[in-house]
Amino acid sequence: MSISAVERETGLSKDTLRVWERRYNFPLPHRDEFGERSYPPEQVDKLRLIKGLMDHGHRPGKLVGADMKVLRALAARPSKRESPAVALEEERDDLVHLIALCKEHRVEDLRRELTQSLVRSGMYRFVTDVIAPLTAMVGTHWASGRLAVFEEHLFTEAVQAVMRNAISTIPSPDTQAVPHSRPRILLATVPHELHGLGLLMAEAIFILEGARCVSLGVNTPVMEIAQAAKAQSADIVALSFSASARPAPVLTALADLVGQLPPSVEVWAGGRCAALRRRSPPAMVKVMELHEIPAALAEWQNRRKTMA
């Protein structure tokens, strides 16, 4: 692969790849007839695994020199950023079975069983008790090499299809009964944040709580998010950040967005990004876990009543 292809495939920037080449003597790309870097498949596989481990809190200096056996063993352990409850989900037979369907490429069976789980559990419990821990398990399996990239994509597409269909059937709230009691929420992720399942899970719970939602999807420029918020008369802009999000760009994007929005529009942020747990820009609401959304919306309503 070319260096651009490796960047797209692994999420590691070209600058990072060049620095590691000088500092750690890995990766060691070949050179094509034009002198451009060319990375063999085994090096790309290792880079992908290293990136997955970095996303779960490991430092690259201790990973780059390790062999694949050591890296896979590290990936099989519970993440440094996972709570004990998430780690214990590995023992749930129902989740293991769903991942097995993904590994066996039984996409229609996976969609059917996800749909049946949704019907049995209801949307809220399906999101918090099935999809959230299942997504964490899929990430662990991918990082350890037990799940191929395309299999992870099959999983994502199956979940999105089931959830989008279910979200479309949720009745719209009666906004005329209590004016301004239901927020209009714009959902998005900032540039270079390509993980959209967290955003979709949050959207489902927002809608269950009666919010009116518009989603821009992933990888949206900050200026476009601000313009869309104004065009949609949004009360809240909700952003999702995965564990792989780099702290500095996250904090910069949040500060920029807050600065571009009127004070009446709140910015909410959540997800697995460690930077959000340590610090955040002023005038921003942190809703780190899905189960915190109902209480956060109740607090928003109280703030609106106070301002009225």
Side-chain angles (χ1 to χ4, degrees):
M1 288 187 179
S2 67
I3 191 169
S4 295
V6 173
E7 182 180 46
R8 291 192 302 270
E9 184 73 18
T10 66
L12 295 166
S13 70
K14 297 175 185 177
D15 289 340
T16 296
L17 294 170
R18 295 187 187 105
V19 169
W20 286 4
E21 186 179 333
R22 294 193 302 269
R23 182 178 299 172
Y24 303 121
N25 204 36
F26 180 85
L28 290 175
H30 307 312
R31 296 281 179 167
D32 62 19
E33 62 270 27
F34 302 106
E36 299 293 334
R37 289 174 172 82
S38 177
Y39 296 81
E42 62 272 12
Q43 293 190 23
V44 178
D45 289 343
K46 182 175 179 178
L47 289 168
R48 189 185 295 118
L49 182 52
I50 289 171
K51 180 61 166 61
L53 287 165
M54 289 170 58
D55 291 348
H56 287 80
H58 294 274
R59 295 186 177 183
K62 296 184 178 181
L63 301 174
V64 176
D67 62 30
M68 288 292 283
K69 184 176 180 180
V70 171
L71 295 176
R72 292 190 189 283
L74 282 174
R77 300 175 187 172
S79 165
K80 292 181 179 181
R81 294 176 182 169
E82 287 176 358
S83 66
V86 171
L88 288 175
E89 299 295 348
E90 190 75 36
E91 300 176 2
R92 280 179 51 181
D93 291 340
D94 58 331
L95 302 186
V96 172
H97 171 64
L98 291 171
I99 289 182
L101 292 179
C102 191
K103 291 179 180 179
E104 294 166 7
H105 314 151
R106 295 163 57 187
V107 179
E108 291 302 320
D109 290 339
L110 177 61
R111 287 184 181 180
R112 184 181 63 255
E113 297 208 19
L114 286 171
T115 301
Q116 291 172 349
S117 177
L118 170 62
V119 172
R120 289 193 303 269
S121 305
M123 177 65 90
Y124 184 88
R125 290 190 60 191
F126 177 69
V127 169
T128 59
D129 297 352
V130 178
I131 297 302
L134 180 60
T135 300
M137 281 180 61
V138 166
T140 300
H141 278 246
W142 173 83
S144 65
R146 289 174 286 170
L147 201 66
V149 173
F150 83 89
E151 292 168 336
E152 188 268 341
H153 288 185
L154 290 176
F155 163 78
T156 300
E157 290 298 320
V159 171
Q160 288 178 337
V162 171
M163 289 192 61
R164 279 288 174 211
N165 183 62
I167 287 173
S168 69
T169 66
I170 299 175
S172 299
D174 182 3
T175 57
Q176 300 302 317
V178 184
H180 310 300
S181 65
R182 305 299 185 187
R184 189 168 182 84
I185 301 177
L186 182 75
L187 298 103
T189 74
V190 299
H192 309 298
E193 177 55 81
L194 302 176
H195 295 81
L197 283 185
L199 198 70
L200 188 58
M201 287 187 277
E203 180 182 354
I205 296 179
F206 279 132
I207 293 176
L208 282 175
E209 293 296 314
R212 297 164 291 168
C213 293
V214 175
S215 179
L216 299 179
V218 300
N219 197 30
T220 308
V222 170
M223 183 179 295
E224 298 296 327
I225 295 174
Q227 291 178 354
K230 296 170 186 176
Q232 293 291 325
S233 301
D235 300 299
I236 297 168
V237 174
L239 305 175
S240 175
F241 297 94
S242 65
S244 61
R246 292 181 295 167
V250 166
L251 297 175
T252 298
L254 286 170
D256 288 347
L257 183 58
V258 169
Q260 294 183 40
L261 292 172
S264 60
V265 180
E266 295 187 4
V267 176
W268 291 18
R272 295 290 178 183
C273 178
L276 293 179
R277 299 180 183 277
R278 293 194 299 265
R279 52 187 175 136
S280 58
M284 192 201 79
V285 177
K286 289 195 288 187
V287 186
M288 301 304 296
E289 303 291 343
L290 293 167
H291 65 79
E292 297 174 0
I293 288 177
L297 287 173
E299 291 174 5
W300 176 87
Q301 292 173 339
N302 289 334
R303 288 194 293 273
R304 279 303 174 98
K305 290 178 182 177
T306 303
M307 294 168 58

